[in-house]
Amino acid sequence: MPETTPLKDKAACGTKPAPPCTLVIFGAGGDLTKRLLMPSLYNLAGAGLLPEGFSIIGVDHGDGDDQSLRDGLTKTMEEFSKDPSSEFHAASIDAKSWGFIRDRLHYLKGDFEKPETFEAVKAKVKGSAVFYCAVAARFFGTIVDGLGQAGLLRQEGDSFRRVVIEKPFGSDLASARDLNARILKQGDESQFYRIDHFLGKDTVQSIMAFRFANGLLEPVWRREYIDSVQITAAETVGVEERGGFYEPTGALRDMVPNHMFQLLCMVGMEPPNSFDAEAVRTEKAKLAEAVQPIPAEDAVRGQYTAGTSEGRQVAGYRDEPHVAKDSATETYIALKLHIENWRWAGVPFYIRTGKRMTGRRTEIAVLFKPAPFKMFEETPTDDLRPTVMRITIDPDHGISTEYNVKVPGPEMRIGRVRTAFKYDDFFANTPNVGYETLLYDCMIGDATLFQRADNIEAGWAAVDPLLKGWPQANPAPYAAGSAGPKEADDLLARDGRHWLGIDGTTD
């Protein structure tokens, strides 16, 4: 767990503080603001990446004032810092770094659906501003409409006005298109930053550097050499108290068109001409658009039942708070994807994500085609397993490769070895809860790690036929603490393949 002590001032290393601006957070009393935005701003302050001319306005519907907001968030920061399970965990809060944020916090009570709220915001915001929608998805369009109608999205001179929109961005292709059309009536595409916190992780960003900065990889990163790709995002947690959100959403809507497709695009996109935001996002959109619509036979839905997770008995999904007793919502999804382009035609991409699984792991595994077995058929080995490269994103951060070597001795015997590195072994462990880079990039106007409208819609287009054609049968059951339903194993077995272990093993 990274220590959230202040970082060394990065100005000496060439990283400049963001330009002066006001961050307006709609939903200042929500969990996202408390757990992620405030710790991220604290870390940015400790790194010297926030300017003196920085301020924060928290907008919410409850009663309060500047002091109550400051006191409440200070208490929350202290509680999270002492929680070992929190991504924000430290021996203590640095008074200078938190003081920088606390003293710049201001509160505004307002209803997101009333014009006077935005007029009150307008009276307080001068110069550049970032408006953050840390609210339920149903308010995204409403808030952008309010900002536009109040003139808060007009950009004059060198000042900027940008809007950060959280996920889920739509619930299907039609709603995503409608939301894109709605917000683009109020501003230019360049002003809207559709956020995906997966892209804030250094290891996700490093996939591009790993692929494109090493001449060893690019020649073999294609269908002639790669057998298949597996992308996994496994969680040990259940839906906890989020049943009200999760019931109409499910694993597919919650994870696939955004998080999982972002990982897919990182590993599968063509090399951009530069790391310019539009060049990178154009290649991502091309990859997403090449994903073929997914037939029902290439999808498996699962729902966890009671079981043992991390050494304790846990309830099944239908017994969680705010969940229907006959719920047909999936908590697990496995998909087989086909990408129709010159690089990947014929290479299956297998995706799985689920809650209450046997371990916590987010990774991309690239399985290379096996070597011809003929010359080794008389050696003491049952088979030659393929070379496997695993890019691990969570909880560890690193890359490992498994391949075949000769076992020492007089006979030609084949053994299996692994080479690996972890980022923490080579680079300083910096405070990070996943939003620091994204917030900083938005303030400096770098949209590389944010989704463009066409990228969002391409992701929904791939899964939309599946959403419309869900079978009426309940999702396949799997016990909490397991690797998922048997049907997911069958999905790969019919192709003569199997899932890699969520615990990091090949078998």
Side-chain angles (χ1 to χ4, degrees):
M1 193 70 65
E3 288 289 320
T4 50
T5 51
L7 294 176
K8 178 182 177 182
D9 190 327
K10 289 188 176 181
C13 302
T15 304
K16 297 180 179 179
C21 63
T22 300
L23 174 63
V24 180
I25 303 174
F26 292 96
D31 197 55
L32 173 63
T33 299
K34 296 173 182 177
R35 286 186 173 273
L36 295 170
L37 298 187
M38 288 302 123
S40 296
L41 291 169
Y42 165 85
N43 288 337
L44 287 172
L49 296 179
L50 295 180
E52 284 298 321
F54 179 73
S55 63
I56 306 164
I57 299 174
V59 184
D60 218 315
H61 56 79
D63 291 329
D65 55 23
D66 293 359
Q67 194 59 47
S68 65
L69 179 64
R70 293 170 184 178
D71 291 345
L73 290 176
T74 298
K75 181 180 178 181
T76 301
M77 288 284 288
E78 291 172 346
E79 290 173 350
F80 287 160
S81 72
K82 295 178 175 62
D83 181 1
S85 66
S86 170
E87 292 184 351
F88 180 72
H89 179 221
S92 63
I93 300 292
D94 178 70
K96 181 178 179 182
S97 298
W98 177 242
F100 181 94
I101 300 299
R102 184 196 59 232
D103 294 346
R104 287 165 170 77
L105 285 167
H106 305 279
Y107 186 74
L108 177 64
K109 179 182 178 180
D111 186 326
F112 306 148
E113 298 182 292
K114 293 184 177 180
E116 50 263 37
T117 297
F118 299 93
E119 291 300 328
V121 171
K122 186 175 182 179
K124 290 179 175 291
V125 173
K126 309 298 179 185
S128 297
V130 173
F131 303 98
Y132 200 115
C133 298
V135 295
R138 69 181 184 275
F139 291 117
F140 293 165
T142 301
I143 289 173
V144 174
D145 285 346
L147 292 170
Q149 291 162 9
L152 281 162
L153 297 183
R154 293 196 200 102
Q155 302 183 114
E156 300 176 351
D158 294 331
S159 67
F160 59 80
R161 297 293 172 91
R162 298 170 186 143
V163 182
V164 179
I165 301 178
E166 273 284 344
K167 77 170 188 75
F169 194 96
S171 58
D172 55 18
L173 179 58
S175 59
R177 283 175 171 166
D178 288 345
L179 182 55
N180 273 325
R182 183 176 181 179
I183 66 175
L184 291 173
K185 288 181 180 178
Q186 305 298 341
D188 183 79
E189 170 66 37
S190 65
Q191 292 179 266
F192 297 104
Y193 287 65
R194 303 167 188 83
I195 199 167
D196 187 326
H197 74 264
F198 261 41
L199 294 183
K201 297 177 182 290
D202 281 333
T203 39
V204 175
Q205 300 168 43
S206 70
I207 294 171
M208 285 195 293
F210 178 66
R211 282 189 57 194
F212 303 134
N214 295 288
L216 175 70
L217 294 175
E218 179 56 25
V220 298
W221 209 260
R222 58 191 66 249
R223 57 191 168 96
E224 290 87 352
Y225 302 98
I226 291 177
D227 171 80
S228 58
V229 178
Q230 296 183 17
I231 304 177
T232 297
E235 299 179 87
T236 56
V237 297
V239 296
E240 311 300 340
E241 298 294 325
R242 298 173 69 237
F245 160 78
Y246 208 83
E247 269 287 84
T249 306
L252 189 145
R253 286 185 172 92
D254 188 40
M255 292 291 290
V256 175
N258 38 68
H259 295 333
M260 304 303 282
F261 266 49
Q262 286 302 306
L263 298 181
L264 174 71
C265 289
M266 285 290 198
V267 76
M269 63 189 274
E270 293 296 319
N273 291 331
S274 70
F275 284 121
D276 173 76
E278 293 313 300
V280 172
R281 298 202 296 178
T282 294
E283 295 304 335
K284 285 184 181 179
K286 288 179 182 177
L287 192 283
E289 289 165 0
V291 178
Q292 299 301 288
I294 306 161
E297 60 267 23
D298 286 346
V300 172
R301 302 167 70 228
Q303 185 186 91
Y304 66 82
T305 59
T308 303
S309 177
E310 299 182 306
R312 61 187 180 92
Q313 288 293 314
V314 295
Y317 175 71
R318 293 180 179 179
D319 292 321
E320 300 279 21
H322 314 298
V323 172
K325 294 300 181 183
D326 60 349
S327 173
T329 298
E330 79 283 354
T331 61
Y332 175 99
I333 189 80
L335 303 173
K336 177 182 177 181
L337 306 182
H338 297 277
I339 299 174
E340 285 301 313
N341 64 17
W342 280 103
R343 182 181 292 269
W344 296 116
V347 177
F349 282 71
Y350 301 102
I351 287 177
R352 61 176 167 173
T353 180
K355 293 186 176 297
R356 285 282 186 236
M357 298 184 71
T358 187
R360 172 186 162 204
R361 193 174 190 86
T362 302
E363 74 168 15
I364 300 168
V366 179
L367 289 79
F368 290 85
K369 290 185 174 180
F373 186 66
K374 179 68 177 175
M375 66 184 292
F376 294 99
E377 64 183 1
E378 295 182 2
T379 63
T381 185
D382 294 329
D383 67 335
L384 289 179
R385 286 182 284 173
T387 298
V388 178
M389 180 177 292
R390 304 176 80 147
I391 304 169
T392 307
I393 297 162
D394 191 46
D396 296 321
H397 312 295
I399 300 170
S400 65
T401 305
E402 296 180 28
Y403 47 92
N404 304 304
V405 300
K406 179 185 176 297
V407 176
E411 294 182 296
M412 173 56 78
R413 297 180 58 238
I414 300 299
R416 192 76 168 167
V417 298
R418 173 186 290 190
T419 59
F421 90 91
K422 293 183 179 181
Y423 275 85
D424 291 350
D425 293 338
F426 288 83
F427 304 104
N429 191 358
T430 58
N432 195 317
V433 297
Y435 274 70
E436 289 85 352
T437 297
L438 298 171
L439 287 170
Y440 177 77
D441 282 358
C442 182
M443 287 186 275
I444 66 171
D446 184 348
T448 304
L449 300 178
F450 297 84
Q451 298 195 72
R452 208 166 56 187
D454 54 351
N455 201 172
I456 288 269
E457 292 177 16
W460 280 117
V463 303
D464 207 50
L466 197 57
L467 288 170
K468 292 177 179 177
W470 277 138
Q472 295 303 310
N474 286 327
Y478 66 98
S482 71
K486 175 183 178 298
E487 288 81 353
D489 296 331
D490 296 341
L491 178 66
L492 271 68
R494 76 187 191 200
D495 296 336
R497 300 183 176 93
H498 67 273
W499 292 108
L500 302 185
I502 292 175
D503 60 357
T505 60
T506 303
D507 297 321

